[in-house]
């Protein structure tokens, strides 16, 4: 139990700093955003399991040599068995910290989901007053404003894409199709759920490097995935012109801000005008995707990374 606790603590430290830092600096992620997204999810899940598991196993160590034995010993202690070992103060502290950390993570996720659900409901109500249905594009609302705006608002009872009239006027039919395809990908691939999970992780542990790096990386990766979906319908120059139209139009506003008052976690992704240098470089000088074998290797490594703390928690005796 104690050895497993140390191994989980070591894994948690690796996943809290060097591994996410190395991944955030990697260049291959732009060539396979899906694989990179899976790796970031594996790092977050494995990191959380490792942190909680290390504290849990350290606290349970006096009660037994295995997880089952420790749980049995804890039950005997609760039932008043005089022969049952009693954990010390530091072990009780570790168990309490593990329970509080797990509760904090779950509560933060529930709170974030509730907050964003209410934000979306209010936003939909505002849109119902300020927009009208697009005549030629079902599920698209047109906002009567000259600022180029494009974003999507997901929902389990109905998702919509919001475009401003100023954007529609400035874009050619092909460019408009590129923007719609981009936003449609956000909705169909449910990028809002991914962003919600990582935003909650960042809210729960803002001091952890992993949470900040992962949120920034995932926000950019979902945009790359949406770009890839749009590139299946239009060429890269068309998509680039459309994105630049939104970006330059938003920069030309006195406030420099979009009219979409929702965080990225509440929408299908970041508003379209947020064109990062990585995305711009990716469209200007496209590189071939990673070979299938390499993508499969990366995905397998991500699954193994997630399986490692899970196996330690389920069968700690294998690492003793």
């Amino acid at each position: 139990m104690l050895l497993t606790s140390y191994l989980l603590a070591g894994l948690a430290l690796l996943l809290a700093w060097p591994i996410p830092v190395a991944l955030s600096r990697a260049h291959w992620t732009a060539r396979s955003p899906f694989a990179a997204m899976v790796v970031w999810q594996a790092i977050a899940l494995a990191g959380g399991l490792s942190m909680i598991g290390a504290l849990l196993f350290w606290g349970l160590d006096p009660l037994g040599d295995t997880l089952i034995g420790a749980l049995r010993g804890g039950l005997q202690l609760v039932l008043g068995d005089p022969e049952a070992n009693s954990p010390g103060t530091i072990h009780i502290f570790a168990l309490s910290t593990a329970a509080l950390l797990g509760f904090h993570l779950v509560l933060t996720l529930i709170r974030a989901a509730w907050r964003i659900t209410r934000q979306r409901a209010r936003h939909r109500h505002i849109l119902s007053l300020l927009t009208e249905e697009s005549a030629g594009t079902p599920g698209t609302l047109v906002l009567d404003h000259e600022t180029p705006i494009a974003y999507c608002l997901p929902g389990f009872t109905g998702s919509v894409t919001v475009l401003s009239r100023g954007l529609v006027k400035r874009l050619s039919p092909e460019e408009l199709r590129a923007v719609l395809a981009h936003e449609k990908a956000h909705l169909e691939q449910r990028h809002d759920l991914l962003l919600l999970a990582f935003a909650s992780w960042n809210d729960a542990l803002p001091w952890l490097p992993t949470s900040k790096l992962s949120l920034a990386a995932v926000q950019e990766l979902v945009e790359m995935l949406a770009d890839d979906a749009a590139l299946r319908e239009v060429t890269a120059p068309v998509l680039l012109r459309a994105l630049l139209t939104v970006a330059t139009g938003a920069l030309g506003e006195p406030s420099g801000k979009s009219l979409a008052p929702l965080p990225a976690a509440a929408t299908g992704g970041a508003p379209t005008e947020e064109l990062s240098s990585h995305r711009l470089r990716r469209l200007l000088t496209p590189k071939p995707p990673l070979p299938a074998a390499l993508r499969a290797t990366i995905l397998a490594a991500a699954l193994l990374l997630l399986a490692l703390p899970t196996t330690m928690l389920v069968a700690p005796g294998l690492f003793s």
Side-chain angles (χ1 to χ4, degrees):
M1 291 284 286
L2 197 57
L3 176 59
T4 304
S5 174
Y6 291 152
L7 290 174
L8 285 169
L11 181 60
L13 289 175
L14 289 174
L15 295 174
W17 179 250
I19 292 179
V21 168
L23 182 59
S24 67
R25 296 175 179 174
H27 297 292
W28 65 264
T29 55
R31 298 175 60 190
S32 183
F34 175 78
M37 182 75 73
V38 173
V39 174
W40 276 114
Q41 292 179 76
I43 288 175
L45 290 172
L49 288 174
S50 298
M51 283 191 295
I52 296 174
L55 292 168
L56 179 65
F57 276 48
W58 189 21
L60 290 176
D61 181 63
L63 299 176
D65 296 330
T66 64
L67 181 60
I68 299 299
L71 293 176
R72 188 181 297 114
L75 179 61
Q76 292 174 348
L77 184 65
V78 171
L79 294 177
D81 187 346
E83 297 183 358
N85 293 329
S86 179
T89 303
I90 193 169
H91 297 98
I92 295 176
F93 174 78
L95 288 172
S96 301
T97 304
L100 287 174
L101 179 58
F103 179 76
H104 176 57
L105 292 175
V106 174
L107 182 62
T108 303
L109 178 62
I110 294 174
R111 185 178 59 187
W114 172 252
R115 183 180 68 250
I116 288 176
T117 300
R118 295 186 64 184
Q119 286 177 338
R120 288 177 183 169
R122 288 196 297 267
H123 198 73
R124 287 294 292 267
H125 176 68
I126 294 173
L127 289 176
S128 67
L129 300 176
L130 301 178
T131 62
E132 59 183 23
E133 287 276 354
S134 173
T137 311
T140 302
L141 301 178
V142 179
L143 179 66
D144 190 12
H145 199 280
E146 291 304 313
T147 302
I149 297 172
Y151 65 95
C152 56
L153 192 64
F156 291 103
T157 57
S159 303
V160 294
T161 297
V162 181
L163 305 176
S164 67
R165 196 173 302 280
L167 178 67
V168 175
K169 290 178 181 178
R170 298 188 193 192
L171 296 182
S172 68
E174 274 197 330
E175 291 166 352
L176 182 59
R177 186 154 59 96
V179 171
L180 290 173
H182 179 102
E183 301 303 334
K184 181 181 178 182
H186 281 317
L187 295 173
E188 291 184 344
Q189 298 176 24
R190 293 315 306 251
H191 292 162
D192 58 301
L193 298 181
L194 286 170
L195 291 169
L196 170 62
F198 283 94
S200 300
W201 178 257
N202 185 57
D203 289 343
L205 305 171
W207 46 267
L208 192 66
T210 305
S211 61
K212 295 182 181 299
L213 291 172
S214 62
L215 178 59
V218 168
Q219 286 176 338
E220 187 170 57
L221 288 171
V222 296
E223 294 303 318
M224 291 183 180
L225 288 169
D227 288 344
D228 289 345
L231 289 174
R232 287 192 283 270
E233 297 194 20
V234 299
T235 62
V238 171
L239 176 60
L240 186 58
R241 287 198 303 270
L243 295 177
L244 288 175
T245 298
V246 181
T248 55
L251 290 175
E253 287 296 300
S255 63
K257 295 181 180 179
S258 166
L259 293 183
L262 286 179
T267 62
T272 304
E273 68 267 14
E274 295 183 7
L275 184 58
S276 68
S277 60
H278 291 98
R279 289 177 64 200
L280 184 60
R281 191 181 310 115
R282 190 171 181 260
L283 293 172
L284 286 172
T285 57
K287 294 183 179 180
L290 293 179
L294 183 55
R295 291 200 305 271
T297 301
I298 293 172
L299 293 174
L303 293 176
L304 287 175
L305 177 61
L306 181 57
L308 184 58
T310 305
T311 304
M312 288 184 181
L313 291 171
V314 174
L318 296 177
F319 300 88
S320 302

